[in-house]
Amino acid sequence: AFALPAFANWPDNARENFVAECVETTQMEHSSVKAETFCGCAADEVAKDLSTDELEAMGGESVDPAIQERLIAAAQSCTTELE
């Protein structure tokens, strides 16, 4: 039997806000459909990599640089969605 991966729980509306901000930035260079697909993927990957506490911390004024690096690394696995 396989164990299901543990996903962190996004705080209220945080996933939607993350995706919306991501789409707004990404569609400057890509179609809105590709941006939405990429950003949804990125949100899922981020939830796999960060804890619930870390996701909550992202909602603050400034994001810890170490968390920022992990965000970027997690999202990079979705870049094929932009091709």
Side-chain angles (χ1 to χ4, degrees):
F2 292 99
L4 294 175
F7 280 83
N9 293 316
W10 287 91
D12 291 344
N13 299 321
R15 186 182 192 284
E16 291 81 4
N17 292 341
F18 175 88
V19 171
E21 288 178 24
C22 175
V23 168
E24 188 176 319
T25 303
T26 305
Q27 68 184 5
M28 290 179 189
E29 296 182 22
H30 302 279
S31 72
S32 60
V33 171
K34 285 184 179 182
E36 287 180 26
T37 303
F38 166 76
C39 294
C41 173
D44 292 342
E45 292 303 315
V46 166
K48 288 181 198 175
D49 191 55
L50 299 180
S51 69
T52 300
D53 288 344
E54 290 169 324
L55 291 174
E56 288 175 3
M58 284 175 23
E61 289 300 309
S62 61
V63 177
D64 182 309
I67 292 176
Q68 188 73 31
E69 284 182 30
R70 289 172 57 205
L71 274 171
I72 293 166
Q76 285 188 339
S77 64
C78 299
T79 55
T80 56
E81 303 294 346
L82 297 173
E83 294 171 0

